[in-house]
Amino acid sequence: MIDTRTYPRIAILTLSSIKLISAAPTNEVPGRGVLCLGTFIYFVEKTEQQCRAGEDPEFQARIASYSKRFDDYIVRNTGGDPAVLEKFKEGQNLNSEDRRYICEGDAAESYDGFKSADAGELDRAVDALLAKNGPPSFGDCV
């Protein structure tokens, strides 16, 4: 099952993009940090969908690809039930339709941070984090 320890959403969303990318531990227990970086990716994707559709097609396609990879990893490593993923996203308030919550403040800043991050570095961080199967957890990225 998913490690659902409560982390303040504000703290997660206000990390710098450098810290976000370094949230992917390369020599640690498989699955550790997946929920942390995955949550950032999901918020960036949600911001794109609700607030910035079509503005940055290449960046948004890359984020959508990451999001799909995190979805697949989480479902595969929590028993194969997509309902577990949906419950996790609901618990992180990722299903919010509140435009102010998604389009302003911390969520919008996360989008900008990821957009300005080095694409190759982010690709490598996602690849390393998702390279080995293991129970997804937040790890210690906050």
Side-chain angles (χ1 to χ4, degrees):
M1 203 53 146
I2 292 176
D3 172 6
T4 57
R5 291 178 288 172
T6 304
Y7 287 90
R9 281 181 200 70
I10 297 301
I12 289 175
L13 292 174
T14 56
L15 293 173
S16 70
S17 59
I18 300 300
K19 178 133 173 130
L20 294 176
I21 292 170
S22 69
T26 56
N27 296 322
E28 299 212 15
V29 176
R32 185 168 187 221
V34 166
L35 298 181
C36 181
L37 188 55
T39 298
F40 285 111
I41 296 294
Y42 293 142
F43 269 108
V44 169
E45 181 179 46
K46 182 77 169 185
T47 300
E48 176 269 317
Q49 292 169 345
Q50 283 191 258
C51 318
R52 301 179 184 199
E55 285 183 14
D56 307 293
E58 288 178 35
F59 171 70
Q60 291 172 357
R62 198 161 36 89
I63 292 298
S65 172
Y66 295 154
S67 180
K68 172 82 169 98
R69 290 178 63 197
F70 276 94
D71 285 352
D72 293 345
Y73 185 98
I74 292 168
V75 169
R76 181 175 64 250
N77 287 280
T78 57
D81 185 358
V84 173
L85 174 63
E86 289 310 310
K87 184 176 178 180
F88 167 72
K89 287 182 177 182
E90 184 65 36
Q92 297 302 305
N93 206 21
L94 284 158
N95 297 329
S96 175
E97 296 300 322
D98 180 351
R99 285 187 54 81
R100 286 191 60 220
Y101 175 69
I102 300 298
C103 299
E104 299 174 13
D106 295 331
E109 288 176 24
S110 291
Y111 180 96
D112 293 333
F114 272 85
K115 185 178 170 198
S116 67
D118 179 84
E121 194 173 333
L122 186 54
D123 287 344
R124 287 185 294 278
V126 170
D127 289 346
L129 192 60
L130 302 180
K132 295 180 183 176
N133 287 323
S137 71
F138 276 95
D140 61 358
C141 73
V142 291

